[in-house]
Amino acid sequence: MSVFMPSFGFGLISAAVLAIAAVGFTMQFAVTNVLNLAYGSIMINSAFVTYWVNRTGVSVWLALFVGVACGAVVSWCLNRFIYTPFQRRNPAAITVVIVSLGVDLIGTFGLQAIISGSDVSYIMSQGRELHILGMDLSVVELIIFAICAVVLVSVRLLLKFSRLGKAMRATAANRSLARNSGVKTDLIVSLTWLISGALCGLAGTVFAIDAGTFGATSAELYVVLILAAVFLGGPGEPYGAMLGALTIGLATEISAAYLTSDYKEVVAFLVLLGMLAFRPFGLFGSEKTS
Amino acid sequence: MSVELSRPGVVLNASGLSAGYEGRAIVSDITIEAQPGHVVSVVGPNGSGKSTLLKSLVGVVRVLEGHVTVDGKEITNQTPEHVATLGVGYVPQIDDVFPPLSVKENLEIGGYLLKRGDVASRVEAVLAFFPKLSAMLARRAGKLSGGERKMLAMGRVLMLSPSVLILDEPTANLAPLVATQLLEEYVRGFADAGATVLIVEQRAKAALRISDWTYVLGGGRVVLSGPPKELEQNPVFVDSFLGGGTRR
């Protein structure tokens, strides 16, 4: 019992970070039809952009916006100059996945070469520790949780109530029919890269803040957790990704408390495999989206 | 019609049209015309290129040769989103709604090109025409029955008050009674209200009943055309399309 609540608290924070990343990833996948494995690389590169701005004396909470912008712009460029030219040739779906894997490796190890492989930390205070319902949470962790809540509510409002969000969902569901309805789907896809890229940049910085210290390869395995959350919820389903992130976040942190943190990714995929055995299309997914 | 759902029709014309995929023509040298207030049907056996013809008119399939005009304006190989702005509404045979979106959201996407303030009143107008949809506004389109789904598909297109309606096998997979109602009440109704209607239909007899002019496709070409009453006197047509094996 004494281990459970603290690990539950860690799980909530891990889930919050994972939810931001997973919602961006699955939104990108649903609308653009690209399983972008370079997502982790863009996350960590954005985290480093925030770091470099932070090193000039700017608060990490302000520098974070530069990281967000970096994620948005890099993701948009990635689509515009790499994925779209490939997609125009109608390649097999796996080809674009392999291309994204290549981009991921270039982004990650290119960054590692620049920073000489050393781990870094933001200049920031963790704030005082609070004891809430048996959980030990710092002020920074509460801020991360609040950021996650704002992001998830905003995504919900965007997708459900805005004209852009409905056009994004229509494009994801049936791009050809959306075009027949007058939706400029190329524009919608571009905007989706910007929005999901911004979420990727935000997730990268928040991930780095939560981790304390981070390096160029810190997000390599994190993509595995993002994929687990996304496929658990149902690929292309933002609300599913939120629930998937909560499940994976809690399962990995609670298991780490009782076993060892080395098994985090193992536990994540055990949860995923167990769930997919009962619901092959994920919690919110359908045959079509899968 | 109790509400103005469509704008006055305009002439839809295709001349010398060849179209297909990856440079290979599926339909060749097609010349057709549809006039305002008329239902023009296209019938023919499976694989004769009916759907490809419709898709080429609205920019979904590439036109390789020939021209498509609406009200005299060239729309050959224009993007589908541009064709929609010109008042041409297209209902595909399959994948005709957005399954994860609610009925209301489907209609709103249908009115995507409208001013924001006009969408709600337009939804009301479409619902007045398809009152059955009013009771299921919050339901996901993917959960609708075949007939309800087709009503929604047509309602989505009517959101932009089209001058030209292009319908690809709207009665496919519908029960005979629902199919007859759809064709005689709604499709004929659009034309009677002044719209130009071009319809591909497998149920040849039913299509002829509501049509003013019919084109018969075979092997990607127009092999016969004329008013339905004239075609019904043509023994080749009767043997091929109105015989015992033909669906009602």
Side-chain angles (χ1 to χ4, degrees):
Chain A
M1 183 63 191
S2 59
V3 179
F4 181 79
M5 283 315 288
S7 62
F8 187 81
F10 288 137
L12 284 180
I13 302 306
S14 296
V17 178
L18 187 56
I20 298 170
V23 166
F25 186 96
T26 206
M27 182 193 288
Q28 196 172 80
F29 175 58
V31 180
T32 71
N33 219 15
V34 174
L35 191 73
N36 178 23
L37 294 183
Y39 199 85
S41 165
I42 299 171
M43 270 178 67
I44 209 67
N45 274 279
S46 301
F48 266 92
V49 167
T50 301
Y51 167 74
W52 287 318
V53 176
N54 176 236
R55 298 297 293 182
T56 65
V58 177
S59 158
V60 72
W61 302 113
L62 289 177
L64 176 149
F65 288 100
V66 183
V68 168
C70 168
V73 171
V74 170
S75 296
W76 184 86
C77 289
L78 187 60
N79 172 58
R80 177 71 181 78
F81 299 111
I82 296 181
Y83 293 149
T84 298
F86 270 99
Q87 284 182 308
R88 281 204 189 112
R89 297 177 186 181
N90 288 325
I94 190 68
T95 305
V96 180
V97 175
I98 298 298
V99 168
S100 77
L101 185 61
V103 172
D104 178 61
L105 295 175
I106 291 168
T108 301
F109 292 105
L111 176 67
Q112 192 170 33
I114 293 170
I115 62 165
S116 309
S118 53
D119 281 3
V120 298
S121 303
Y122 293 132
I123 303 168
M124 64 184 297
S125 159
Q126 288 297 314
R128 64 195 179 91
E129 191 99 339
L130 302 168
H131 192 73
I132 305 168
L133 299 172
M135 299 178 285
D136 297 317
L137 300 171
S138 68
V139 171
V140 166
E141 286 172 327
L142 290 177
I143 292 173
I144 290 174
F145 200 76
I147 289 173
C148 170
V150 169
V151 165
L152 298 189
V153 169
S154 301
V155 167
R156 161 89 183 160
L157 294 176
L158 169 77
L159 293 178
K160 188 68 187 168
F161 298 108
S162 77
R163 190 166 175 267
L164 170 63
K166 286 173 192 169
M168 286 167 70
R169 288 165 60 212
T171 302
N174 187 339
R175 191 180 293 195
S176 177
L177 193 65
R179 295 184 75 189
N180 286 130
S181 303
V183 178
K184 290 179 179 170
T185 54
D186 287 346
L187 176 64
I188 297 298
V189 167
S190 283
L191 290 172
T192 301
W193 277 102
L194 280 173
I195 294 168
S196 60
L199 289 174
C200 177
L202 176 63
T205 300
V206 170
F207 165 81
I209 290 171
D210 186 43
T213 60
F214 59 100
T217 57
S218 293
E220 280 299 277
L221 272 180
Y222 198 69
V223 170
V224 172
L225 293 182
I226 295 173
L227 285 171
V230 165
F231 280 83
L232 185 63
E237 299 288 342
Y239 308 134
M242 295 175 196
L243 193 58
L246 183 65
T247 309
I248 296 292
L250 289 174
T252 52
E253 291 299 341
I254 292 172
S255 69
Y258 287 97
L259 302 169
T260 159
S261 61
D262 293 340
Y263 290 130
K264 274 186 180 181
E265 284 78 18
V266 175
V267 169
F269 269 82
L270 282 175
V271 171
L272 178 65
L273 292 178
M275 181 60 76
L276 293 187
F278 294 101
R279 284 188 62 87
F281 309 121
L283 292 168
F284 282 65
S286 64
E287 189 171 1
K288 191 173 189 307
T289 56
S290 293
Chain B
M1 271 189 211
S2 54
V3 286
E4 290 296 324
L5 281 173
S6 54
R7 286 175 260 173
V10 293
V11 177
L12 170 69
N13 181 285
S15 59
L17 188 83
S18 295
Y21 301 90
E22 296 173 358
R24 194 170 65 85
I26 305 293
V27 292
S28 302
D29 199 22
I30 303 258
T31 296
I32 62 168
E33 186 168 281
Q35 295 283 345
H38 285 188
V39 173
V40 172
S41 54
V42 179
V43 298
N46 285 335
S48 58
K50 303 184 297 292
S51 291
T52 303
L53 169 62
L54 296 199
K55 287 176 184 171
S56 69
L57 299 177
V58 296
V60 175
V61 168
R62 185 148 190 84
V63 173
L64 305 171
E65 280 179 52
H67 298 275
V68 184
T69 61
V70 170
D71 198 20
K73 295 186 197 84
E74 181 90 23
I75 61 164
T76 314
N77 285 330
Q78 294 289 322
T79 60
E81 51 267 43
H82 180 68
V83 172
T85 65
L86 299 174
V88 179
Y90 168 61
V91 178
Q93 181 187 351
I94 52 171
D95 294 334
D96 50 0
V97 297
F98 302 102
L101 274 64
S102 70
V103 168
K104 187 172 180 223
E105 288 169 337
N106 266 269
L107 294 176
E108 287 169 346
I109 286 294
Y112 188 77
L113 294 173
L114 298 174
K115 288 180 190 162
R116 279 167 206 236
D118 295 342
V119 175
S121 60
R122 192 66 199 159
V123 168
E124 289 302 315
V126 170
L127 291 177
F129 191 67
F130 294 115
K132 200 174 175 189
L133 293 178
S134 302
M136 48 188 76
L137 283 177
R139 192 181 303 175
R140 275 185 169 211
K143 302 277 184 192
L144 300 180
S145 70
E148 292 163 351
R149 185 184 171 114
K150 199 50 80 174
M151 275 185 207
L152 176 60
M154 290 210 221
R156 179 187 56 75
V157 162
L158 291 177
M159 283 294 293
L160 291 180
S161 314
S163 309
V164 178
L165 265 169
I166 298 179
L167 309 170
D168 192 355
E169 298 206 27
T171 67
N173 302 319
L174 295 188
L177 271 178
V178 180
T180 303
Q181 184 196 20
L182 192 85
L183 291 176
E184 296 186 356
E185 192 175 327
Y186 296 117
V187 177
R188 185 64 242 180
F190 298 141
D192 290 343
T196 306
V197 179
L198 178 65
I199 179 172
V200 158
E201 185 52 57
Q202 276 283 355
R203 300 168 198 258
K205 277 185 183 174
L208 261 57
R209 267 205 301 274
I210 61 160
S211 299
D212 298 284
W213 192 272
T214 298
Y215 291 93
V216 183
L217 251 60
R221 292 173 184 273
V222 175
V223 292
L224 277 174
S225 71
K229 289 211 180 311
E230 202 175 281
L231 288 177
E232 281 166 351
Q233 306 304 317
N234 184 318
V236 176
F237 179 79
V238 172
D239 282 351
S240 302
F241 297 102
L242 305 180
T246 310
R247 282 189 279 172
R248 279 183 66 241

